Amino acid sequence: MTLKLKGDIEINDIPSSKAKALKLNLNKYIYGTFAEIGAGQETVRHFFRAGGASGTIAKAMSAYDKDFSDAIYGIEDDGRYVTQVRLKKMITHEIELMEDRLNRKKHPGKMFFSYANTVTTIDFAKVFKGHGWVGIKFQLDPLEKYNEIILHVRFKETDAKLQQETLGTLGVNLIYGAFYMYDKPKELLKSLYDNLHRVQIELDMINFSGPRFSYVDNRLMSLLLVKNGFTNAVMFGPDGNNLLPAQQLYKANILALRGSFRPVTKVNMDIYMQAQKLFLSENKVNEKRTKIIFEITLSNLASSGEIDERDFLDRAELLCSLGQNVMITSYQEYYKLVDYFSEFTKARIGLAMGVASFIQIFDEKYYRNLSGGILEAFGKLFFKDLKVYLYPFKNQKTNELVTSENLRVHPRMKELYKFFKYNGKVVDIVDYNPEILEVFSKKVLDMITNGEEGWEEMLPSGIAETIKDHRLFGYSRRKFINKK
């Protein structure tokens, strides 16, 4: 039996929180629990006030006392309460209680759910604005396994009461979306901001799982968070599941490599490996606390106009197959990326890039929106504990090898460049592979698209096979046969 909508009330395109709660309350098949820690029972309050809640709410609780919470959900190894692990324990525990205590024969058509949040709101000093984990475990058929939607939010408002109200609205949107928009995950994602504004809350991670979401690629959902303006940066791991940047980057040494990776080439991997060696050899770098990130900007993904989701997933597939952490950001300028990293760590940060990309940093046109111009940007970029690892560039016309020693910037920027160069902020990668300096992603992509031979040897081991097996980047075996 699938979800029945008979008798549901008619509502507008963007219904109010009250209308959403009432629609859920009036659906006799939906039944579940609410467990909210840290900001009051703000979500369930909407359902009580909407009317008809007795048919929807099996239990509502708020285990504020830590000892009481531990007695219910167990003690965490790290002693923390506002974590994804805690949230998953909460929704799983509550579902198990429902299954154990409620007779399915008495409730044959009921679709159980467990909604939970664990949050910390703004502190008294109003320095840390707070964050939280929100999730739902739910059925769309009594005989099916459970689905899950788990997300992380960062509060932006500076008043605890407003943050609580925002959290309540978000919770209603999530529950409503789970039951009425499960088959349209992209629209479900957008609906989380119904009756909310981006200045109130930032949504920086979301994961879908379960039988009804088996076709959902969480990496794509991650991209949409940035594309929709819900956050500025998202991150996913080699397994394709989304990661929380704040958790991954906390007090970490970070080495970031920006590129199009369309596709990832031997040059990309040589930059990565050589920069990693230099970075890990630094006295201020702790290898165990180092995070390597392959970063793609939103502007790069949209370089040909609209963002091509298939193209994005092709790039993601290759990077994940190489065991890399991938980050998508809206930070076109490097100083914004470094500023973002600095929110989570004061440890040394490294940027690995080619000479051509480095020269663009000294182009004043990128900083016209700053009152302090390029000096303000460079203050944010280089006056942090940062080093740039520079991969040489071979001039195709002159065959000259361009490094930090002979690169040319605008005459007005010459002295500024010298300052950072002589203060050790720029380090040349000298152990590069000279045989691959003429390999470029665009060249490889054109060869694949045009059905030309020889592109395979420009890519890291196994990547060509992955492209062929999954027909990435428009690869077609027929093109190559026709060429012959």
Side-chain angles (χ1 to χ4, degrees):
M1 182 187 68
T2 55
L3 187 64
K4 295 182 179 180
L5 305 180
K6 282 187 177 181
D8 287 336
I9 57 172
E10 292 293 324
I11 52 178
N12 297 323
D13 289 338
I14 301 181
S16 66
S17 297
K18 181 179 180 180
K20 286 187 175 186
L22 183 58
K23 183 173 182 177
L24 287 160
N25 281 348
L26 294 181
N27 190 317
K28 63 181 181 179
Y29 299 101
I30 299 172
Y31 197 56
T33 65
F34 294 75
E36 305 184 69
I37 298 177
Q41 295 186 289
E42 295 300 317
T43 301
V44 75
R45 179 169 58 88
H46 285 279
F47 291 85
F48 281 128
R49 290 184 174 181
S54 60
T56 302
I57 302 171
K59 181 180 73 174
M61 66 173 293
S62 183
Y64 260 82
D65 182 81
K66 291 181 179 180
D67 291 336
F68 197 81
S69 181
D70 288 342
I72 299 172
Y73 305 117
I75 300 174
E76 305 300 333
D77 293 336
D78 58 8
R80 297 165 63 200
Y81 293 85
V82 185
T83 65
Q84 183 177 7
V85 172
R86 191 63 164 193
L87 178 79
K88 295 193 81 165
K89 280 186 178 180
M90 292 169 69
I91 56 177
T92 300
H93 176 82
E94 298 302 335
I95 282 294
E96 288 175 351
L97 281 182
M98 287 192 69
E99 292 283 5
D100 183 54
R101 293 176 178 176
L102 296 181
N103 190 331
R104 279 288 188 181
K105 292 181 180 179
K106 187 177 179 181
H107 305 280
K110 293 289 187 182
M111 294 173 293
F112 293 160
F113 76 90
S114 172
Y115 166 85
N117 64 54
T118 174
V119 306
T120 175
T121 52
I122 193 166
D123 59 6
F124 287 110
K126 296 189 182 296
V127 175
F128 179 67
K129 291 184 179 179
H131 71 109
W133 289 92
V134 183
I136 183 171
K137 194 178 186 82
F138 64 105
Q139 293 178 304
L140 290 165
D141 185 305
L143 301 178
E144 274 186 1
K145 291 184 177 180
Y146 286 87
N147 306 283
E148 281 186 10
I149 306 174
I150 291 177
L151 55 93
H152 181 266
V153 297
R154 298 172 74 186
F155 295 111
K156 292 185 174 183
E157 294 165 307
T158 56
D159 181 86
K161 184 175 181 294
L162 293 177
Q163 290 182 354
Q164 291 170 353
E165 292 173 355
T166 295
L167 180 66
T169 301
L170 176 69
V172 173
N173 289 341
L174 175 60
I175 300 169
Y176 182 89
F179 284 106
Y180 290 103
M181 306 178 77
Y182 63 89
D183 57 340
K184 297 177 286 186
K186 292 180 184 178
E187 295 303 311
L188 191 161
L189 191 69
K190 287 183 180 179
S191 75
L192 296 175
Y193 274 79
D194 284 357
N195 307 302
L196 293 173
H197 196 278
R198 294 168 197 167
V199 299
Q200 295 173 275
I201 202 166
E202 176 183 349
L203 175 55
D204 58 358
M205 201 211 83
I206 190 166
N207 273 320
F208 294 79
S209 61
R212 295 299 180 105
F213 298 129
S214 59
Y215 67 95
V216 174
D217 193 313
N218 281 311
R219 296 171 299 188
L220 180 57
M221 295 298 105
S222 207
L223 169 65
L224 293 177
L225 291 179
V226 182
K227 181 182 177 183
N228 293 335
F230 298 164
T231 189
N232 290 311
V234 291
M235 190 172 175
F236 52 87
D239 61 358
N241 277 323
N242 295 329
L243 304 170
L244 180 63
Q247 186 175 305
Q248 295 294 313
L249 306 180
Y250 182 66
K251 292 186 177 181
N253 291 113
I254 304 168
L255 177 62
L257 170 64
R258 173 176 287 183
S260 66
F261 309 115
R262 192 175 183 244
V264 58
T265 67
K266 284 184 175 179
V267 171
N268 295 137
M269 297 310 292
D270 199 35
I271 295 175
Y272 152 65
M273 289 186 288
Q274 300 308 324
Q276 182 182 21
K277 287 180 185 177
L278 292 170
F279 190 62
L280 294 178
S281 68
E282 299 277 355
N283 290 331
K284 292 186 176 182
V285 174
N286 182 340
E287 185 172 355
K288 292 181 179 179
R289 294 196 62 81
T290 294
K291 291 292 180 181
I292 311 292
I293 296 171
F294 280 59
E295 185 237 359
I296 307 174
T297 64
L298 198 65
S299 58
N300 185 291
L301 290 170
S303 58
S304 58
E306 280 293 309
I307 291 176
D308 185 334
E309 293 178 359
R310 181 66 260 168
D311 176 74
F312 161 73
L313 290 174
D314 288 353
R315 303 191 215 187
E317 189 71 30
L318 294 184
L319 291 172
C320 288
S321 72
L322 290 169
Q324 301 302 326
N325 291 317
V326 182
M327 179 172 276
I328 311 298
T329 78
S330 61
Y331 301 124
Q332 188 172 359
E333 299 87 358
Y334 273 108
Y335 79 88
K336 291 183 178 179
L337 177 65
V338 173
D339 212 30
Y340 173 74
F341 288 156
S342 299
E343 290 183 33
F344 311 112
T345 185
K346 303 301 178 188
R348 173 155 294 175
I349 298 169
L351 299 176
M353 67 181 76
V355 168
S357 297
F358 183 68
I359 291 174
Q360 289 183 348
I361 291 178
F362 289 84
D363 193 332
E364 291 182 280
K365 71 180 182 182
Y366 294 112
Y367 314 108
R368 289 170 183 160
N369 62 318
L370 296 176
S371 57
I374 194 170
L375 291 178
E376 181 181 340
F378 274 45
K380 294 180 177 181
L381 184 63
F382 284 107
F383 282 98
K384 292 182 171 66
D385 193 358
L386 171 80
K387 280 199 175 183
V388 174
Y389 300 94
L390 211 54
Y391 198 80
F393 169 76
K394 187 176 182 181
N395 190 310
Q396 299 295 302
K397 295 180 180 178
T398 65
N399 281 330
E400 177 187 28
L401 191 68
V402 184
T403 68
S404 70
E405 299 296 335
N406 62 347
L407 64 81
R408 297 177 182 87
V409 296
H410 192 281
R412 287 200 302 271
M413 299 294 106
K414 199 171 183 180
E415 296 305 316
L416 187 61
Y417 168 68
K418 284 182 180 179
F419 174 80
F420 296 115
K421 166 65 177 170
Y422 293 132
N423 278 280
K425 296 290 188 180
V426 183
V427 180
D428 279 312
I429 294 174
V430 294
D431 292 331
Y432 60 90
N433 183 351
E435 297 179 2
I436 61 174
L437 289 178
E438 296 181 17
V439 172
F440 299 98
S441 291
K442 188 179 185 309
K443 180 179 178 180
V444 175
L445 185 65
D446 288 341
M447 292 177 73
I448 295 173
T449 304
N450 297 328
E452 299 176 28
E453 294 183 339
W455 55 271
E456 294 94 338
E457 61 194 42
M458 301 180 186
L459 306 182
S461 176
I463 293 300
E465 289 73 15
T466 301
I467 290 175
K468 291 177 179 179
D469 292 344
H470 297 277
R471 298 185 179 182
L472 308 181
F473 302 109
Y475 172 82
S476 170
R477 199 176 301 276
R478 188 177 299 169
K479 289 181 183 178
F480 291 87
I481 293 175
N482 292 339
K483 282 281 181 179
K484 293 179 180 180

